[in-house]
């Protein structure tokens, strides 16, 4: 039987990819992980992870990544800094086009995760790094005693807004609905925080300023009323988009672009699996990503043993 | 083996960055910034390749708030390429190594 260069190629190095790497390396598969930027993914920008078991005091996102990476390196996982441009899954031996060469493999785990959704409003791109940010831990400290806007109402938006109040004198949470989607613990903390003011039923329509962010325009979607708020920074947490563009026309995706898998994490193509935020899943957490990854590797091993 | 990148501060910024004959890359970072810590090893790797053409430095914004303020930095990591004291390229946020290499080549070509 014709075999690929690798038993398994893991695409992406966030919690799902790293965990897949851990399981695969321990299983002594001939495996390589391809990471485009640096291992860690979205967790890198999370200030505090409180729902990953084993850390009663919570753990910083970057710190958790560092620990998982250390653990993975102990088992000598081969990690390459490269980009997957496209994949060809038409034959049993799958081809992966990297930035500089093609590699072949029997199985693939797609663990490319997701990226923050942009607002796509005027000013967002121009003021990125000049007041517009997606990372509170990175950029929050630049806004000591300043006024900030945080956009969104989910876990990330609320948790990171609470973090921002360590520095800012005021944080407006601007949310398009009249209640939060965030979990109750976070909601209670946010409602009790005197520095946080909620702007309900509203969307931001533009971000303005001269060299840096100075104000935002918001619109109440129930009343149609518009107003401007003077802010020094604008943090955007309105959800995520899957990093699956490179998969176009290869595996089945849902209407939002997430990879559809079965209970074994197998995609519409045999020997190709997906794990973590990139797949269609009712919950996107570190805990669910690592669980997906373990199942995906087990399925891949099973598949490899049969070919 | 990659060596540690030269740490500069407010006091040495002029002599180490602005007055250097070679192009200088300054990585504005802080210990509390996860992505900054994550790109550290990538910069060390790039230094082993391009270190003879570009001087790699890093500046802790926590200990040195004036310089980042001067360059309008409100987000980190921010990488700024200086040539004879002037800003020629600026990258904010974590980017792929290929993008960094591209920028380095660009900086080296614009002489």
């Amino acid at each position: 039987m014709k075999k690929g260069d690798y038993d398994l190629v893991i695409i992406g190095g966030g919690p799902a990819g790293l965990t897949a790497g851990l399981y695969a390396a321990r299983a002594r598969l001939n495996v390589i992980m391809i990471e485009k930027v640096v291992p860690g993914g979205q967790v890198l920008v999370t200030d505090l992870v409180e729902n990953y078991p084993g850390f009663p005091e919570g753990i910083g996102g970057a710190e958790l990544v560092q620990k998982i990476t250390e653990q993975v390196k102990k088992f000598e996982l081969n990690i390459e800094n490269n980009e997957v441009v496209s994949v060809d899954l038409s034959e049993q031996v799958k081809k992966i086009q990297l930035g500089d060469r093609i590699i072949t493999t029997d199985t693939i785990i797609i663990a490319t995760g997701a990226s923050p959704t942009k607002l796509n409003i005027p000013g967002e791109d121009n003021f990125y790094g000049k007041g517009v940010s997606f990372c509170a831990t990175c950029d929050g400290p630049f806004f000591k005693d300043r006024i900030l806007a945080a956009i969104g109402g989910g876990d990330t938006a609320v948790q990171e807004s609470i973090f921002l109040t360590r520095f800012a004198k005021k944080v407006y949470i601007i949310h398009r609905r009249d209640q939060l989607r965030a979990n109750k613990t976070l909601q209670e903390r946010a409602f009790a925080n005197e520095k946080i003011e909620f702007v309900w039923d509203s969307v931001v329509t533009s971000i303005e300023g001269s060299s840096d962010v100075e104000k935002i325009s918001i619109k109440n979607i129930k009343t149609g009323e518009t107003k401007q708020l003077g802010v020094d920074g604008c943090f955007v947490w309105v959800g995520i988009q899957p990093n699956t563009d490179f998969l176009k026309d290869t595996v089945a995706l849902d209407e939002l672009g997430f990879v559809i898998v079965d209970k074994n994490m197998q995609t519409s193509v045999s020997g190709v699996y997906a794990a973590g935020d990139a797949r269609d899943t009712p919950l996107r957490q570190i805990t669910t990503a690592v669980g997906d990854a373990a199942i995906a590797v087990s399925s891949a091993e099973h598949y490899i043993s049969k070919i | 083996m990659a060596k540690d990148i030269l740490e500069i501060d407010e006091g040495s910024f002029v002599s180490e960055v602005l007055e250097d004959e070679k192009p200088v890359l300054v990585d504005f970072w802080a210990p509390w910034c996860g992505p900054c810590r994550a790109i550290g090893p990538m910069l060390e790797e790039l230094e082993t390749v391009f270190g003879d053409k570009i001087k790699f430095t890093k500046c802790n914004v926590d200990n040195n708030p004036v310089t980042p303020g001067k360059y309008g930095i409100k987000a980190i990591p921010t990488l700024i390429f200086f040539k004879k004291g002037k800003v020629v390229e600026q990258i904010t946020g974590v980017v792929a190594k290929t993008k960094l290499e591209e920028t380095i080549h660009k900086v080296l070509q614009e002489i």
Side-chain angles (χ1 to χ4, degrees):
Chain A
M1 197 66 185
K2 207 174 153 225
K3 295 273 285 168
D5 304 336
Y6 296 96
D7 295 329
L8 169 64
V9 173
I10 300 164
I11 310 176
L18 287 168
T19 305
L22 176 66
Y23 275 72
R26 294 192 75 218
R28 299 280 182 262
L29 293 183
N30 176 15
V31 55
I32 187 169
M33 176 199 284
I34 308 293
E35 163 58 46
K36 183 165 78 163
V37 186
V38 289
Q42 296 170 88
V43 184
L44 273 182
V45 303
T46 310
D47 75 294
L48 185 67
V49 178
E50 280 186 304
N51 53 9
Y52 193 78
F55 300 95
E57 309 303 321
I59 180 166
E63 227 182 314
L64 179 61
V65 166
Q66 203 179 346
K67 281 185 184 289
I68 302 175
T69 311
E70 251 169 57
Q71 191 174 357
V72 163
K73 285 192 172 152
K74 238 165 105 177
F75 294 98
E76 295 170 348
L77 174 69
N78 189 0
I79 301 179
E80 181 173 326
N81 190 240
N82 208 326
E83 185 172 1
V84 173
V85 180
S86 61
V87 293
D88 175 354
L89 311 178
S90 56
E91 290 170 50
Q92 190 183 305
V93 175
K94 290 112 187 138
K95 295 190 194 75
I96 299 181
Q97 174 69 57
L98 300 180
D100 56 348
R101 66 184 194 282
I102 291 173
I103 56 174
T104 60
T105 180
D106 295 327
T107 62
I108 297 174
I109 293 178
I110 300 157
T112 45
S115 302
T117 305
K118 297 209 306 186
L119 296 168
N120 288 321
I121 57 170
E124 185 180 27
D125 288 340
N126 298 349
F127 291 113
Y128 176 65
K130 301 279 175 196
V132 173
S133 173
F134 298 90
C135 178
T137 55
C138 311
D139 308 333
F142 290 104
F143 298 93
K144 205 165 178 311
D145 298 322
R146 300 298 182 89
I147 299 173
L148 296 175
I151 305 164
D155 282 353
T156 305
V158 175
Q159 172 162 352
E160 302 302 310
S161 297
I162 295 168
F163 175 81
L164 288 176
T165 62
R166 289 193 209 175
F167 313 100
K169 70 175 175 202
K170 186 179 192 87
V171 178
Y172 292 104
I173 295 184
I174 299 161
H175 186 38
R176 59 182 310 139
R177 301 199 299 159
D178 61 2
Q179 51 183 311
L180 298 173
R181 211 162 4 97
N183 73 61
K184 288 285 183 284
T185 306
L186 290 173
Q187 291 200 21
E188 281 162 20
R189 280 185 209 160
F191 290 134
N193 191 314
E194 286 174 356
K195 287 184 173 177
I196 293 179
E197 183 179 328
F198 288 89
V199 182
W200 301 111
D201 298 317
S202 298
V203 295
V204 177
T205 53
S206 70
I207 302 170
E208 295 146 55
S210 45
S211 65
D212 290 348
V213 172
E214 289 165 12
K215 61 187 176 197
I216 54 174
S217 295
I218 56 180
K219 180 180 176 187
N220 185 306
I221 52 175
K222 279 197 179 149
T223 63
E225 186 194 335
T226 59
K227 64 174 175 177
Q228 291 194 319
L229 274 183
V231 299
D232 303 294
C234 187
F235 286 74
V236 183
W237 294 297
V238 291
I240 53 168
Q241 281 180 319
N243 300 322
T244 54
D245 287 352
F246 71 102
L247 293 172
K248 232 180 168 85
D249 304 325
T250 58
V251 296
L253 306 176
D254 72 8
E255 68 279 11
L256 297 172
F258 292 98
V259 183
I260 297 171
V261 296
D262 64 15
K263 67 181 193 319
N264 298 318
M265 301 299 144
Q266 180 162 286
T267 67
S268 56
V269 177
S270 316
V272 181
Y273 309 86
D277 283 3
R279 80 168 182 99
D280 65 329
T281 170
L283 187 64
R284 292 193 171 81
Q285 297 280 302
I286 307 170
T287 47
T288 56
V290 302
D292 285 359
I295 295 170
V297 174
S298 161
S299 304
E301 272 189 273
H302 187 72
Y303 174 90
I304 292 163
S305 71
K306 294 269 160 104
I307 53 175
Chain B
M1 191 59 205
K3 65 181 170 71
D4 282 349
I5 287 176
L6 176 69
E7 184 94 50
I8 53 159
D9 58 26
E10 232 101 75
S12 62
F13 191 80
V14 171
S15 60
E16 292 285 2
V17 178
L18 300 183
E19 292 177 353
D20 204 286
E21 279 302 302
K22 263 206 293 196
V24 184
L25 165 64
V26 185
D27 166 22
F28 291 94
W29 75 290
W32 34 259
C33 159
C36 300
R37 298 216 304 253
I39 64 161
M42 190 155 93
L43 293 174
E44 283 169 18
E45 265 173 49
L46 287 169
E47 188 182 26
T48 61
V49 181
F50 297 101
D52 53 333
K53 297 192 188 83
I54 287 192
K55 180 167 163 185
F56 283 67
T57 68
K58 58 181 177 183
C59 178
N60 181 331
V61 302
D62 241 2
N63 305 335
N64 305 285
V66 179
T67 306
K70 211 182 279 173
Y71 292 97
I73 293 171
K74 281 196 174 166
I76 50 172
T78 285
L79 305 175
I80 300 188
F81 291 84
F82 290 88
K83 243 182 196 174
K84 300 204 189 320
K86 286 209 175 67
V87 177
V88 287
E89 290 288 338
Q90 183 161 342
I91 298 173
T92 299
V94 174
V95 296
K97 195 170 160 191
T98 47
K99 159 91 180 147
L100 264 176
E101 286 167 340
E102 246 170 59
T103 310
I104 290 173
H105 284 301
K106 202 169 144 200
V107 168
L108 290 174
Q109 275 160 15
E110 296 169 345
I111 305 219

